[in-house]
Amino acid sequence: MASILRLRKLYYVEPAVKCSSVRFESLDESPKIDQKLGKKEEDVICANSLALEVKNKRKQAKEWRCMDSCCWIIGCLCTTWWLLLLLFHCWPVTLLRAPELPGPGVRLKREGLMALHPVVLVPGIVTGGLELWEGRSCADGLFRKRLWGGSFTEIFKRPLCLLEHLSLHYGTGLDPPGIRVRAVPGLVAADYFAPGYFVWAVLIENLAKIGYEGKNLHMAAYDWRLSFQNTEIRDHSLTRLKSKIELMYITNGYKKVVVVPHSMGAIYFLHFLKWVETPPPMGGGGGPGWCAKHIKATMNIGPTFLGVPKAVSNLFSAEGKDASYIRAMVPGVFDSEILGLQTFEHVMRMSRTWDSIVSLLPKGGDPIWGNMDSSPEEGHVCDFSKKSHSQTSLSDNNVNNSDVKRGFQVKGLAKYGRIISFGKAASVLHSSKLPTVDSKEFSQTSTSQNLNISCGEVWTEYDEMSRQNIQNAAADKAYTSTTLLDLLRLVAPKMMRRAEAHFSHGIADNLDDPKYNHYKYWSNPLEMKLPNAPDMEIYCLYGVGIPTERSYVYKLSPNSRCKSIPYQIDSSLSGEDNSCLRGGVYFADGDESVPVLSAGFMCAKGWRGRTRFNPSGIATHIREYRHKPPTSLLEGRGIESGAHVDIMGNSALIEDILRVAAGATGDEIGGDRIYSDILRMAERINL
């Protein structure tokens, strides 16, 4: 009853009082108004005043602030999460699970396949867990708790503290003083990235079905943030891997080891192959015949042999296609001066201390990735239709030389050689109409840089650049994989000096030159020789049929405040139908992270037969897996996915690995299986 009376007072008593005050104010302020106004005129004035006041209040109530947007988004996410959690616990278990078919391990065991060769798994970047051994006061209570991988609850509780502990020393690329973060050991290091999100778990389970266990299955965990040689200098990771392979070889009846690297793990193990036969102190001292004696095959899943353009956007602006889309949709969340989140700046501040990302920059220069006007993917168009990705089945086992109609056809007019372009015009115009990029100009600018010292504390090396130099680096220019390195040396000279002491991105003219005995060349397949092991096999296993980032269109950031990133992907740009440009990103064929060119070229041409990179003629095999997304949410991430991480649950890939581990050769499992245009691309590349 009391609430009803208050409501009545609000709507009837208060308006009356306000109307009375309006009448008196009008009489006082305008004495010349005719005092003979009737009651009706006064009521009209009162009504108009109230209507205007109500309208103003409604207008003020409708004003939408940045904080309202943030609260609205968080509320939607929380509500969705709780609804899904409620459904998960309330629905019968049978409705939540799709009918399960026997996995590859079960089927192959019925055929009589059993564990034969020991298997070593080598994880890639990001997917391996990291735990704390020593830290600052803000990390109290986290000793030997996972800072990376797992539930990630601590990141949300104390994000800046975790970013500090996951960062390395900017000068050395090693531990900062007072902080020790180490790789989680064992199979649990990378079986799951987060609860419910498998990486190696499905493959491990299927290996167990045919008899694998701890004595013949090993996860070679390492700190993926470090340069590859620094994993040995700090943690002796390469020495421990050598000792483990030798032990497994002896204890399993002198059977050679099958090594299965994923993603960046492929070039990490490539570095190991050179390191293990190199004399100490730089190498492991195994001698020239070590690989031939201990290694049966390396089965590289989604290998990043020639780098990935994603690494470019990560180092240049701390974003990729997904981040640029989110930034365009809700700019107030990440770039708001009121909230002060500066998410991309914090991510860049951390990731630029990781030398491993520099190892993923495109290798081979313009001969591999294309110049200003041509590239190996030239003349293709992109089909982004979803139904085009689901035209395959596990029964597809035919070899294809680019004549078969694939789900994602890269046939477009994109000039992929321009990995970074400033403005859409710079990405499409002929090179003769664009300003030239001179490496000497960059070197002179970097040595005589006008420092921007007005921002106080330096977060990234952008804070040390003048606005004029930032604008000059853009200025409607386009950069290929060769000039791109000069651009990075301009915007991050300290990072590039540190990282380029450990990595190289060129093509060797003469591999007999003694300089290539240095470890900086060992992870680049175009600057090192494979070991003398003619009986060894190398497999390139990767997904195709998914739009994959290949090059980017950038713009100057509208935000010029201190500690901000001056460049960002122009997500407003998209091409016409069948264009490969979407949201400021040009796409090519690949597995969503690694283009086909990077994953398949070395097996298709660089190492095929006896070449200067493969003098002993190690056999190479290409096994491509056409992407087929799950038809419903009940199928999870699917058993026919070709995506970079989801392929680890692909039944066809798992079957290939199990058969080789059980003793089969590449020819016995079907030899090459190619759906992409990798052979045609390889023909266009002249080394």
Side-chain angles (χ1 to χ4, degrees):
M1 189 65 183
S3 61
I4 295 174
L5 291 175
R6 283 196 297 270
L7 187 64
R8 179 181 180 278
K9 178 181 179 182
L10 179 65
Y11 281 97
Y12 294 100
V13 178
E14 291 187 3
V17 173
K18 289 180 180 178
C19 285
S20 300
S21 62
V22 169
R23 289 173 190 165
F24 288 123
E25 288 174 3
S26 62
L27 289 173
D28 294 338
E29 294 176 2
S30 39
K32 296 182 180 180
I33 295 178
D34 191 354
Q35 300 296 327
K36 296 181 179 180
L37 282 174
K39 186 176 182 181
K40 290 184 179 181
E41 285 86 353
E42 293 179 359
D43 291 339
V44 169
I45 294 173
C46 179
N48 290 338
S49 301
L50 287 174
L52 184 61
E53 185 177 352
V54 170
K55 184 177 180 180
N56 290 334
K57 286 185 177 180
R58 287 179 179 175
K59 185 176 180 180
Q60 292 175 359
K62 288 182 179 179
E63 288 182 358
W64 196 257
R65 299 170 299 168
C66 176
M67 185 63 71
D68 297 327
S69 300
C70 297
C71 295
W72 183 82
I73 293 171
I74 294 171
C76 288
L77 291 174
C78 293
T79 303
T80 304
W81 171 255
W82 284 111
L83 286 175
L84 291 174
L85 194 64
L86 179 65
L87 290 174
F88 180 80
H89 287 288
C90 294
W91 282 15
V93 176
T94 54
L95 293 178
L96 292 173
R97 292 181 180 174
E100 294 184 1
L101 298 174
V106 174
R107 288 189 288 104
L108 295 178
K109 184 178 181 180
R110 290 173 184 170
E111 295 178 14
L113 262 70
M114 296 297 293
L116 181 62
H117 294 277
V119 174
V120 172
L121 311 176
V122 184
I125 193 170
V126 172
T127 52
L130 300 173
E131 62 185 16
L132 181 69
W133 281 81
E134 181 184 3
R136 311 249 192 252
S137 58
C138 66
D140 288 345
L142 298 181
F143 175 69
R144 294 204 63 205
K145 298 281 182 67
R146 287 202 181 199
L147 301 187
W148 187 264
S151 63
F152 290 97
T153 53
E154 295 302 329
I155 287 183
F156 297 108
K157 291 180 181 177
R158 31 189 154 179
L160 294 182
C161 180
L162 267 293
L163 288 175
E164 179 185 7
H165 284 74
L166 289 172
S167 300
L168 295 170
H169 190 276
Y170 204 82
T172 64
L174 295 168
D175 292 324
I179 293 177
R180 283 186 295 149
V181 175
R182 298 293 181 264
V184 175
L187 293 175
V188 297
D191 54 352
Y192 288 91
F193 177 65
Y197 190 87
F198 71 83
V199 181
W200 292 91
V202 178
L203 177 58
I204 293 171
E205 181 181 357
N206 281 276
L207 285 166
K209 298 294 184 184
I210 63 171
Y212 281 92
E213 52 186 328
K215 66 182 180 182
N216 54 6
L217 179 62
H218 172 67
M219 178 77 74
Y222 61 97
D223 190 336
W224 44 262
R225 302 171 300 161
L226 301 174
S227 72
F228 304 153
Q229 194 68 10
N230 274 344
T231 64
E232 171 64 17
I233 292 172
R234 195 193 73 177
D235 301 333
H236 303 296
S237 296
L238 300 177
T239 297
R240 288 188 285 113
L241 177 55
K242 174 177 178 283
S243 300
K244 187 65 179 179
I245 290 176
E246 292 171 343
L247 178 64
M248 295 174 77
Y249 170 76
I250 294 171
T251 57
N252 287 276
Y254 297 95
K255 295 291 189 299
K256 294 182 182 180
V257 175
V258 173
V259 183
V260 187
H262 174 242
S263 188
M264 189 187 75
I267 57 175
Y268 180 77
F269 191 72
L270 198 65
H271 180 98
F272 172 84
L273 291 178
K274 190 71 176 179
W275 171 89
V276 74
E277 294 191 349
T278 299
M282 190 176 293
W290 191 95
C291 294
K293 178 181 179 180
H294 295 92
I295 307 296
K296 167 183 165 55
T298 61
M299 307 192 73
N300 304 282
I301 304 173
T304 59
F305 284 132
L306 299 180
V308 290
K310 265 185 160 182
V312 175
S313 62
N314 185 289
L315 291 174
F316 195 62
S317 61
E319 59 183 341
K321 66 178 179 68
D322 298 326
S324 65
Y325 292 163
I326 296 173
R327 169 185 259 166
M329 292 171 61
V330 282
V333 174
F334 296 109
D335 299 326
S336 171
E337 295 187 23
I338 299 174
L339 295 176
L341 295 180
Q342 294 184 284
T343 307
F344 294 102
E345 287 79 3
H346 284 298
V347 170
M348 174 176 285
R349 191 180 186 185
M350 174 183 66
S351 61
R352 279 192 175 182
T353 68
W354 299 347
D355 287 337
S356 57
I357 298 181
V358 178
S359 77
L360 296 174
L361 290 175
K363 301 179 177 72
D366 295 356
I368 297 292
W369 294 92
N371 56 33
M372 292 286 284
D373 296 311
S374 65
S375 67
E377 300 98 330
E378 184 181 2
H380 285 251
V381 243
C382 299
D383 181 7
F384 287 93
S385 59
K386 289 186 178 180
K387 63 181 181 180
S388 68
H389 303 320
S390 55
Q391 304 297 325
T392 65
S393 67
L394 286 174
S395 62
D396 292 332
N397 196 36
N398 59 305
V399 176
N400 154 330
N401 290 329
S402 78
D403 297 327
V404 175
K405 196 172 184 179
R406 298 182 316 283
F408 173 68
Q409 293 182 331
V410 186
K411 292 190 168 186
L413 302 176
K415 298 185 184 298
Y416 289 115
R418 306 175 187 187
I419 294 183
I420 284 184
S421 304
F422 284 95
K424 188 174 182 179
S427 70
V428 296
L429 291 176
H430 191 270
S431 59
S432 61
K433 299 180 180 179
L434 296 175
T436 57
V437 176
D438 188 0
S439 300
K440 295 181 180 179
E441 175 188 348
F442 281 137
S443 61
Q444 292 172 359
T445 304
S446 61
T447 56
S448 60
Q449 221 170 28
N450 292 322
L451 296 182
N452 180 14
I453 58 175
S454 60
C455 287
E457 181 189 3
V458 174
W459 279 22
T460 69
E461 293 188 68
Y462 282 129
D463 297 337
E464 298 177 332
M465 290 183 66
S466 68
R467 193 68 187 174
Q468 184 62 45
N469 286 338
I470 288 171
Q471 293 172 349
N472 290 342
D476 299 322
K477 294 178 181 177
Y479 297 87
T480 64
S481 59
T482 300
T483 54
L484 171 69
L485 295 175
D486 295 321
L487 176 63
L488 290 175
R489 293 180 189 117
L490 171 69
V491 301
K494 297 175 185 175
M495 178 196 73
M496 292 300 287
R497 278 196 300 270
R498 183 194 72 231
E500 287 187 312
H502 292 266
F503 300 108
S504 179
H505 302 87
I507 302 178
D509 294 326
N510 178 17
L511 285 169
D512 294 325
D513 190 325
K515 77 174 186 178
Y516 292 109
N517 294 327
H518 192 273
Y519 58 76
K520 69 180 288 185
Y521 302 102
W522 294 350
S523 61
N524 183 354
L526 300 173
E527 293 182 305
M528 59 89 70
K529 292 180 184 178
L530 290 177
N532 184 13
D535 296 330
M536 196 172 86
E537 292 183 309
I538 296 179
Y539 295 79
C540 293
L541 317 172
Y542 54 89
V544 296
I546 308 179
T548 303
E549 295 171 52
R550 179 62 168 82
S551 57
Y552 305 89
V553 182
Y554 270 85
K555 66 178 181 179
L556 286 171
S557 173
N559 186 357
S560 59
R561 72 174 186 269
C562 287
K563 299 181 176 60
S564 64
I565 299 172
Y567 309 110
Q568 65 182 57
I569 295 174
D570 192 350
S571 56
S572 65
L573 296 179
S574 292
E576 300 175 354
D577 294 340
N578 293 330
S579 170
C580 297
L581 177 62
R582 288 288 186 277
V585 181
Y586 282 99
F587 292 90
D589 193 8
D591 67 0
E592 199 171 33
S593 292
V594 185
V596 166
L597 179 63
S598 177
F601 172 77
M602 294 308 297
C603 285
K605 185 175 182 179
W607 291 329
R608 183 61 57 102
R610 290 181 181 271
T611 69
R612 61 190 177 113
F613 307 111
N614 181 16
S616 66
I618 296 173
T620 61
H621 305 281
I622 298 176
R623 304 283 287 176
E624 295 183 344
Y625 305 87
R626 285 197 291 192
H627 177 65
K628 183 180 179 182
T631 56
S632 69
L633 292 175
L634 298 180
E635 292 185 18
R637 290 152 66 189
I639 59 173
E640 298 179 75
S641 175
H644 188 62
V645 177
D646 294 353
I647 197 174
M648 306 287 277
N650 186 298
S651 293
L653 176 135
I654 293 173
E655 181 174 338
D656 287 345
I657 294 174
L658 266 58
R659 289 189 181 277
V660 172
T665 64
D667 293 333
E668 290 171 347
I669 66 172
D672 289 343
R673 181 176 59 198
I674 302 174
Y675 302 114
S676 72
D677 281 345
I678 183 59
L679 296 181
R680 185 188 59 80
M681 294 179 201
E683 290 174 1
R684 290 187 171 188
I685 296 174
N686 183 12
L687 296 180

